[in-house]
Amino acid sequence: MQSLSVMMFAFASLRLHIEPAVAELIITRFYQGVVQGEDQPQGLNNILWTCATLGYLPPPHMLQCFKESYATSKKPFLLQHDSTVAWSLAVLGALDMEYFKTMLLRFPRRVLLHATVGQLYQALQALRPSDKSTPAYTEWFEVTRHVQTEWPLHQVETLRSPFEEHVYHTFLQMGYQAISHYDSGDGLHYIDIAMLPQPKVPCKVAIEADGHTHYLFEDYRLDKGPHPGTRPDGRALFRNSVLERQGWYVIVVPWFEWHALITKNAKVDYLKEKMKAVVSQYRHDTWAASSQTSKIDGPRLRQHFLVDGKYPHT
């Protein structure tokens, strides 16, 4: 059991893509051990975090088993395990408010690391109800304020990478009103580049300039190091999904696509096509929401996890 979880943890720590068939084999064997009572909080933490990081969605019955086993385990656990498990379940679409509050309230106040506080905030993002007039939103708001009071996340001013800086200034030169490092709402996430509704853009647009750290490596050789890949990791896919649920239309600018564009005109044309697709999707969603045959609240939510062993395009 421990060796299986450590092996999966190593894959995720290296951000190394593994074939779905291999992941399924390891997860199934781990699941069999959990059913037999061999579960350990550390092992469950490792498995869930790995699945979330690599974008692998376990079968529902296995995911539910891991979730229940972690919550009911009487064995020693570390505080960061709770925040990691909450984040992982949120990424995998299995977190609910009652579970979040159970884990939140079962330990006294302690100091969390910056990274684990961030995980709590991201998990809360996934739980945010879209309708602010409901009791569910009131509950979410109260829990969010409690978390922000107990474990404040002090935003550190970060410098834009040359890649993000280039994308940002290209949008400005194209005549768009772009905002850098924009708070997506409630202080839980900052968007790389945001556009609010304006003459050329009828909807909220979040542009994420994703460098190589947002993608899984295709392979890892000791003599040559990692080989960058084009498969987005679970963290990036989760971010896109949450932003869409908040009403943002997401544009991802992958580093490998941007750097393949040699001239300034090529980069401008690339961003024009991205914006054109967003506006077209917005108009389609608006029409669909007003029709009697379909109701859509905000942008159409895309599938963000493996489908038949393949990653979706972002």
Side-chain angles (χ1 to χ4, degrees), residues 250-265:
V250 181
I251 290 178
V252 176
V253 181
W255 65 273
F256 50 87
E257 290 185 359
W258 186 256
H259 292 313
L261 303 170
I262 305 302
T263 66
K264 177 180 178 180
N265 287 339

Side-chain angles (χ1 to χ4, degrees), residues 6 8 20 35 41 56 82 112 134 148 199 223 239 253 272 307 309:
V6 169
M8 289 293 282
V35 172
Y56 176 76
D82 278 353
L112 274 73
T134 62
Q148 291 177 324
D223 57 339
R239 175 206 63 202
V253 181
K272 281 183 179 178
V307 180

Side-chain angles (χ1 to χ4, degrees), residues 10-169:
F11 280 127
S13 296
L14 293 172
R15 299 199 338 275
L16 183 62
H17 168 68
I18 57 177
E19 292 300 323
V22 176
E24 181 180 0
L25 180 64
I26 297 174
I27 296 297
T28 299
R29 178 63 191 90
F30 186 85
Y31 166 74
Q32 293 169 347
V34 173
V35 172
Q36 295 171 6
E38 301 176 19
D39 62 299
Q40 291 282 347
Q42 178 69 62
L44 291 164
N45 171 82
N46 288 349
I47 287 292
L48 288 169
W49 181 76
T50 297
C51 289
T53 300
L54 298 183
Y56 176 76
L57 186 61
H61 69 283
M62 293 187 185
L63 186 56
Q64 185 63 26
C65 175
F66 298 156
K67 178 180 177 180
E68 294 178 355
S69 296
Y70 183 83
T72 58
S73 177
K74 302 300 183 182
K75 298 172 183 176
F77 65 94
L78 299 177
L79 181 59
Q80 57 263 37
H81 289 170
D82 278 353
S83 60
T84 301
V85 168
W87 177 84
S88 302
L89 291 174
V91 173
L92 298 171
L95 183 65
D96 56 77
M97 181 55 77
E98 287 306 312
Y99 193 88
F100 184 89
K101 291 196 304 184
T102 297
M103 291 199 298
L104 188 70
L105 298 175
R106 75 177 182 175
F107 54 76
R109 178 178 182 179
R110 306 179 200 172
V111 177
L112 274 73
L113 299 175
H114 178 89
T116 54
V117 174
Q119 288 178 333
L120 283 178
Y121 280 37
Q122 291 166 18
L124 278 170
Q125 273 189 293
L127 295 174
R128 184 178 185 268
S130 58
D131 188 351
K132 294 185 178 182
S133 64
T134 62
Y137 184 87
T138 301
E139 179 185 30
W140 175 87
F141 184 83
E142 292 174 352
V143 172
T144 297
R145 287 294 171 263
H146 172 74
V147 171
Q148 291 177 324
T149 299
E150 293 293 304
W151 302 285
L153 179 60
H154 302 291
Q155 291 292 336
V156 180
E157 184 66 26
T158 57
L159 297 177
R160 290 192 295 267
S161 67
F163 164 40
E164 184 184 333
E165 184 85 18
H166 198 181
V167 174
Y168 172 66
H169 282 288

Side-chain angles (χ1 to χ4, degrees), residues 9 45 53 64 69 102 117 127 139 145 151 158 177 179 186 189 220 226 236 245 268 284-285 292 301 303 314:
F9 183 81
N45 171 82
T53 300
Q64 185 63 26
S69 296
T102 297
V117 174
L127 295 174
E139 179 185 30
R145 287 294 171 263
W151 302 285
T158 57
Q177 299 173 26
I179 307 171
D186 306 303
H189 174 70
Y220 203 107
R245 292 181 186 280
V268 169
H284 175 272
D285 291 345
Q292 297 180 354
L301 298 181
Q303 173 63 42
T314 58

